[in-house]
Amino acid sequence: MSHTHPTAVGPHRPPSDPAQSPGGGRVGGEVRRDAFFDNAKFLAIVLVATGHAWEPLRDGSRAVSALYMFVYAFHMPAFIVISGYFSRGFDAGPERIKRLVTGLVIPYVVFETAYTFYTRWTDQVPDRPVTLLEPLYLTWFLAALFIWRLTTPIWLSVRRPLPLALGVAMLATLTPSIGDDLDLQRTLQFLPYFVLGLCLKPSHFELVRRPAVRVLAVPVLACALGLAYWAVPRMSTGWFYHRESARALGAPEWYGPVMTLVLFGCSLLLVVCFLAWVPRRRMWFTALGAGTLYGYLLHGFVAQAANHWGWYDPAWVHRPLGEITVTVVATTVVTLLCTPPVRRVFRLAVEPRTEWAFRREAKAVA
């Protein structure tokens, strides 16, 4: 799931970070952004928005359900892998902690509160409490990324970080007693993707972008889509949310660790195929990749309003033309939410300036 913030859904900071993007660097003393990663972030946020838009259309449409399952298998893993990749320079120093607070904690508090009041109206739950311990709707990603970032020095220090993270995720599926505090179940189950990002190097992304990988990605994606169509009546999409234990999903406990490994392998393969087709050159949407945190956090208000106002009620919406229309509208909305005018309006909530809140000594030490 972010910016001059420390998440992957917005501007990254390659010049001050060992996680320098391939091809990135300085030109004339200024930061040169890597178009590949901005393109990847924008395309991923489009998939997130369309996935949410398809959710009310799944009943009665096996094709939409297959597309939904297909997209959910890799869109958040792709976000999280990129987030991990650009977290390799996190050393828990004063300046890094400052960015963590301004880039994650403050937006989390603001949008957790905003979504609570908003869904009191859209969900008709007027007494829904405001709590910062139970992430609501989209805010789980900010809470998870905050935890992952804080633990980055640990993962960079251990000898086998990825197998260890997979072990943690597998054990989480066996622990139904994990509560909703900070959506810890989902944080632990998605952890391996973040740790994988920490382990990646620029050369790995060069391998992904080879022409041969792009060619092979086509039949792999086609097979994955066909497999999703087959799996619709046979598999719960709850496995792709990574927020429940195996027992909570009505499966034997041993399913949890097995599904963790199977889904990690499948998701990683689809992430590679997705990245293989991400354009390397600047496109018309490349600049929007710097504002994907805005699209991520704001499109949820539109999605909630669509359900509340009955935009999915007309019968034609659930036919092929309606499904295409919903997809186009969702893509257009999230694209607009990433544009500079929208970012200027909501910058105070998403990218607040908080120099006044930190001691100058902290900056000097950093």
Side-chain angles (χ1 to χ4, degrees), residues 85-110:
Y85 178 70
F86 284 106
S87 296
R88 295 187 303 160
F90 185 83
D91 56 6
E95 189 65 20
R96 301 288 187 181
I97 295 298
K98 175 185 173 182
R99 292 182 191 173
L100 202 61
V101 171
T102 57
L104 293 177
V105 176
I106 294 178
Y108 173 78
V109 172
V110 170

mmCIF file of all heavy atoms in Angstrom, residues 85-110:
data_model
loop_
_atom_site.group_PDB
_atom_site.id
_atom_site.type_symbol
_atom_site.label_atom_id
_atom_site.label_comp_id
_atom_site.label_asym_id
_atom_site.label_seq_id
_atom_site.Cartn_x
_atom_site.Cartn_y
_atom_site.Cartn_z
ATOM 1 N N TYR A 85 11.886 -2.076 -0.330
ATOM 2 C CA TYR A 85 13.085 -1.717 -1.089
ATOM 3 C C TYR A 85 13.566 -0.315 -0.749
ATOM 4 O O TYR A 85 14.771 -0.080 -0.584
ATOM 5 C CB TYR A 85 12.780 -1.836 -2.583
ATOM 6 C CG TYR A 85 13.933 -1.452 -3.474
ATOM 7 C CD1 TYR A 85 15.071 -2.254 -3.555
ATOM 8 C CD2 TYR A 85 13.890 -0.291 -4.231
ATOM 9 C CE1 TYR A 85 16.131 -1.907 -4.371
ATOM 10 C CE2 TYR A 85 14.951 0.065 -5.054
ATOM 11 C CZ TYR A 85 16.070 -0.744 -5.112
ATOM 12 O OH TYR A 85 17.117 -0.392 -5.919
ATOM 13 N N PHE A 86 12.637 0.619 -0.604
ATOM 14 C CA PHE A 86 13.026 1.989 -0.285
ATOM 15 C C PHE A 86 13.136 2.229 1.218
ATOM 16 O O PHE A 86 13.261 3.369 1.651
ATOM 17 C CB PHE A 86 12.031 2.969 -0.918
ATOM 18 C CG PHE A 86 12.235 3.140 -2.389
ATOM 19 C CD1 PHE A 86 11.365 2.566 -3.298
ATOM 20 C CD2 PHE A 86 13.323 3.839 -2.869
ATOM 21 C CE1 PHE A 86 11.580 2.694 -4.655
ATOM 22 C CE2 PHE A 86 13.546 3.977 -4.218
ATOM 23 C CZ PHE A 86 12.664 3.402 -5.124
ATOM 24 N N SER A 87 13.112 1.158 1.994
ATOM 25 C CA SER A 87 13.301 1.281 3.441
ATOM 26 C C SER A 87 14.683 0.803 3.871
ATOM 27 O O SER A 87 14.998 0.807 5.061
ATOM 28 C CB SER A 87 12.237 0.457 4.184
ATOM 29 O OG SER A 87 10.945 0.946 3.939
ATOM 30 N N ARG A 88 15.508 0.409 2.919
ATOM 31 C CA ARG A 88 16.799 -0.186 3.293
ATOM 32 C C ARG A 88 17.719 0.780 4.017
ATOM 33 O O ARG A 88 18.618 0.368 4.734
ATOM 34 C CB ARG A 88 17.500 -0.710 2.035
ATOM 35 C CG ARG A 88 16.754 -1.862 1.372
ATOM 36 C CD ARG A 88 17.558 -2.451 0.241
ATOM 37 N NE ARG A 88 17.898 -1.449 -0.755
ATOM 38 C CZ ARG A 88 18.892 -1.592 -1.638
ATOM 39 N NH1 ARG A 88 19.664 -2.665 -1.605
ATOM 40 N NH2 ARG A 88 19.134 -0.641 -2.531
ATOM 41 N N GLY A 89 17.503 2.076 3.839
ATOM 42 C CA GLY A 89 18.363 3.045 4.506
ATOM 43 C C GLY A 89 17.841 3.493 5.855
ATOM 44 O O GLY A 89 18.451 4.366 6.476
ATOM 45 N N PHE A 90 16.738 2.894 6.327
ATOM 46 C CA PHE A 90 16.178 3.325 7.602
ATOM 47 C C PHE A 90 17.064 2.841 8.750
ATOM 48 O O PHE A 90 17.244 1.641 8.952
ATOM 49 C CB PHE A 90 14.762 2.787 7.781
ATOM 50 C CG PHE A 90 14.081 3.286 9.019
ATOM 51 C CD1 PHE A 90 13.458 4.521 9.016
ATOM 52 C CD2 PHE A 90 14.081 2.539 10.189
ATOM 53 C CE1 PHE A 90 12.833 4.997 10.159
ATOM 54 C CE2 PHE A 90 13.459 3.013 11.335
ATOM 55 C CZ PHE A 90 12.843 4.238 11.316
ATOM 56 N N ASP A 91 17.602 3.792 9.517
ATOM 57 C CA ASP A 91 18.521 3.444 10.600
ATOM 58 C C ASP A 91 18.019 3.903 11.968
ATOM 59 O O ASP A 91 18.770 3.871 12.949
ATOM 60 C CB ASP A 91 19.893 4.056 10.332
ATOM 61 C CG ASP A 91 19.821 5.578 10.133
ATOM 62 O OD1 ASP A 91 18.728 6.157 10.320
ATOM 63 O OD2 ASP A 91 20.858 6.177 9.784
ATOM 64 N N ALA A 92 16.759 4.350 12.040
ATOM 65 C CA ALA A 92 16.152 4.795 13.298
ATOM 66 C C ALA A 92 16.837 6.028 13.870
ATOM 67 O O ALA A 92 16.725 6.305 15.068
ATOM 68 C CB ALA A 92 16.145 3.665 14.335
ATOM 69 N N GLY A 93 17.551 6.778 13.028
ATOM 70 C CA GLY A 93 18.144 8.031 13.478
ATOM 71 C C GLY A 93 17.084 9.103 13.663
ATOM 72 O O GLY A 93 15.934 8.946 13.241
ATOM 73 N N PRO A 94 17.435 10.222 14.288
ATOM 74 C CA PRO A 94 16.456 11.284 14.574
ATOM 75 C C PRO A 94 15.727 11.788 13.336
ATOM 76 O O PRO A 94 14.515 11.986 13.360
ATOM 77 C CB PRO A 94 17.319 12.388 15.206
ATOM 78 C CG PRO A 94 18.493 11.670 15.786
ATOM 79 C CD PRO A 94 18.761 10.527 14.862
ATOM 80 N N GLU A 95 16.455 11.993 12.240
ATOM 81 C CA GLU A 95 15.798 12.502 11.038
ATOM 82 C C GLU A 95 14.868 11.463 10.439
ATOM 83 O O GLU A 95 13.791 11.793 9.934
ATOM 84 C CB GLU A 95 16.853 12.923 10.010
ATOM 85 C CG GLU A 95 16.282 13.664 8.808
ATOM 86 C CD GLU A 95 15.659 14.992 9.169
ATOM 87 O OE1 GLU A 95 15.984 15.544 10.249
ATOM 88 O OE2 GLU A 95 14.838 15.493 8.366
ATOM 89 N N ARG A 96 15.249 10.193 10.502
ATOM 90 C CA ARG A 96 14.390 9.122 9.990
ATOM 91 C C ARG A 96 13.123 9.008 10.836
ATOM 92 O O ARG A 96 12.029 8.799 10.310
ATOM 93 C CB ARG A 96 15.145 7.795 10.017
ATOM 94 C CG ARG A 96 16.425 7.784 9.210
ATOM 95 C CD ARG A 96 16.161 7.782 7.731
ATOM 96 N NE ARG A 96 17.389 7.609 6.990
ATOM 97 C CZ ARG A 96 17.478 7.593 5.673
ATOM 98 N NH1 ARG A 96 16.389 7.762 4.947
ATOM 99 N NH2 ARG A 96 18.638 7.435 5.065
ATOM 100 N N ILE A 97 13.268 9.117 12.135
ATOM 101 C CA ILE A 97 12.095 9.041 13.010
ATOM 102 C C ILE A 97 11.169 10.215 12.748
ATOM 103 O O ILE A 97 9.927 10.073 12.738
ATOM 104 C CB ILE A 97 12.534 9.031 14.496
ATOM 105 C CG1 ILE A 97 13.324 7.753 14.813
ATOM 106 C CG2 ILE A 97 11.319 9.143 15.397
ATOM 107 C CD1 ILE A 97 12.537 6.472 14.627
ATOM 108 N N LYS A 98 11.742 11.369 12.507
ATOM 109 C CA LYS A 98 10.921 12.540 12.187
ATOM 110 C C LYS A 98 10.105 12.284 10.925
ATOM 111 O O LYS A 98 8.898 12.572 10.886
ATOM 112 C CB LYS A 98 11.828 13.757 11.993
ATOM 113 C CG LYS A 98 11.089 15.006 11.529
ATOM 114 C CD LYS A 98 12.064 16.135 11.249
ATOM 115 C CE LYS A 98 11.359 17.326 10.617
ATOM 116 N NZ LYS A 98 12.301 18.427 10.299
ATOM 117 N N ARG A 99 10.734 11.729 9.899
ATOM 118 C CA ARG A 99 10.002 11.427 8.665
ATOM 119 C C ARG A 99 8.934 10.367 8.912
ATOM 120 O O ARG A 99 7.860 10.394 8.298
ATOM 121 C CB ARG A 99 10.973 10.930 7.593
ATOM 122 C CG ARG A 99 11.935 11.986 7.085
ATOM 123 C CD ARG A 99 12.806 11.404 5.993
ATOM 124 N NE ARG A 99 13.910 12.281 5.649
ATOM 125 C CZ ARG A 99 14.890 11.936 4.827
ATOM 126 N NH1 ARG A 99 14.895 10.744 4.276
ATOM 127 N NH2 ARG A 99 15.862 12.793 4.546
ATOM 128 N N LEU A 100 9.232 9.434 9.787
ATOM 129 C CA LEU A 100 8.268 8.374 10.102
ATOM 130 C C LEU A 100 7.026 8.965 10.753
ATOM 131 O O LEU A 100 5.892 8.571 10.440
ATOM 132 C CB LEU A 100 8.923 7.353 11.045
ATOM 133 C CG LEU A 100 8.317 5.947 11.081
ATOM 134 C CD1 LEU A 100 8.396 5.296 9.714
ATOM 135 C CD2 LEU A 100 9.051 5.095 12.114
ATOM 136 N N VAL A 101 7.231 9.914 11.652
ATOM 137 C CA VAL A 101 6.102 10.546 12.337
ATOM 138 C C VAL A 101 5.283 11.391 11.362
ATOM 139 O O VAL A 101 4.049 11.283 11.308
ATOM 140 C CB VAL A 101 6.598 11.406 13.520
ATOM 141 C CG1 VAL A 101 5.456 12.231 14.096
ATOM 142 C CG2 VAL A 101 7.205 10.512 14.598
ATOM 143 N N THR A 102 5.954 12.223 10.589
ATOM 144 C CA THR A 102 5.229 13.107 9.677
ATOM 145 C C THR A 102 4.636 12.358 8.496
ATOM 146 O O THR A 102 3.588 12.751 7.966
ATOM 147 C CB THR A 102 6.156 14.216 9.147
ATOM 148 O OG1 THR A 102 7.283 13.615 8.501
ATOM 149 C CG2 THR A 102 6.648 15.086 10.287
ATOM 150 N N GLY A 103 5.285 11.280 8.067
ATOM 151 C CA GLY A 103 4.833 10.566 6.882
ATOM 152 C C GLY A 103 3.840 9.463 7.141
ATOM 153 O O GLY A 103 3.101 9.063 6.240
ATOM 154 N N LEU A 104 3.789 8.949 8.379
ATOM 155 C CA LEU A 104 2.905 7.829 8.678
ATOM 156 C C LEU A 104 1.997 8.079 9.875
ATOM 157 O O LEU A 104 0.783 7.874 9.794
ATOM 158 C CB LEU A 104 3.729 6.556 8.919
ATOM 159 C CG LEU A 104 4.475 5.989 7.712
ATOM 160 C CD1 LEU A 104 5.310 4.786 8.127
ATOM 161 C CD2 LEU A 104 3.501 5.596 6.613
ATOM 162 N N VAL A 105 2.569 8.499 10.986
ATOM 163 C CA VAL A 105 1.780 8.606 12.211
ATOM 164 C C VAL A 105 0.699 9.682 12.095
ATOM 165 O O VAL A 105 -0.478 9.435 12.395
ATOM 166 C CB VAL A 105 2.695 8.898 13.423
ATOM 167 C CG1 VAL A 105 1.853 9.116 14.676
ATOM 168 C CG2 VAL A 105 3.671 7.743 13.637
ATOM 169 N N ILE A 106 1.075 10.858 11.644
ATOM 170 C CA ILE A 106 0.097 11.951 11.557
ATOM 171 C C ILE A 106 -0.991 11.641 10.524
ATOM 172 O O ILE A 106 -2.183 11.772 10.819
ATOM 173 C CB ILE A 106 0.794 13.285 11.264
ATOM 174 C CG1 ILE A 106 1.675 13.673 12.465
ATOM 175 C CG2 ILE A 106 -0.231 14.380 10.976
ATOM 176 C CD1 ILE A 106 2.455 14.948 12.279
ATOM 177 N N PRO A 107 -0.640 11.209 9.293
ATOM 178 C CA PRO A 107 -1.710 10.821 8.366
ATOM 179 C C PRO A 107 -2.591 9.704 8.907
ATOM 180 O O PRO A 107 -3.797 9.692 8.666
ATOM 181 C CB PRO A 107 -0.947 10.375 7.117
ATOM 182 C CG PRO A 107 0.340 11.112 7.179
ATOM 183 C CD PRO A 107 0.677 11.179 8.642
ATOM 184 N N TYR A 108 -1.994 8.776 9.654
ATOM 185 C CA TYR A 108 -2.797 7.691 10.230
ATOM 186 C C TYR A 108 -3.835 8.241 11.200
ATOM 187 O O TYR A 108 -5.015 7.877 11.142
ATOM 188 C CB TYR A 108 -1.889 6.690 10.950
ATOM 189 C CG TYR A 108 -2.653 5.629 11.703
ATOM 190 C CD1 TYR A 108 -3.226 4.560 11.035
ATOM 191 C CD2 TYR A 108 -2.820 5.709 13.090
ATOM 192 C CE1 TYR A 108 -3.938 3.586 11.711
ATOM 193 C CE2 TYR A 108 -3.529 4.742 13.780
ATOM 194 C CZ TYR A 108 -4.089 3.684 13.094
ATOM 195 O OH TYR A 108 -4.813 2.726 13.775
ATOM 196 N N VAL A 109 -3.407 9.113 12.083
ATOM 197 C CA VAL A 109 -4.335 9.689 13.064
ATOM 198 C C VAL A 109 -5.429 10.489 12.361
ATOM 199 O O VAL A 109 -6.620 10.363 12.666
ATOM 200 C CB VAL A 109 -3.579 10.578 14.075
ATOM 201 C CG1 VAL A 109 -4.561 11.319 14.970
ATOM 202 C CG2 VAL A 109 -2.623 9.734 14.915
ATOM 203 N N VAL A 110 -5.033 11.294 11.388
ATOM 204 C CA VAL A 110 -5.999 12.141 10.684
ATOM 205 C C VAL A 110 -7.026 11.307 9.933
ATOM 206 O O VAL A 110 -8.245 11.515 10.064
ATOM 207 C CB VAL A 110 -5.269 13.089 9.706
ATOM 208 C CG1 VAL A 110 -6.270 13.800 8.796
ATOM 209 C CG2 VAL A 110 -4.439 14.109 10.477
#
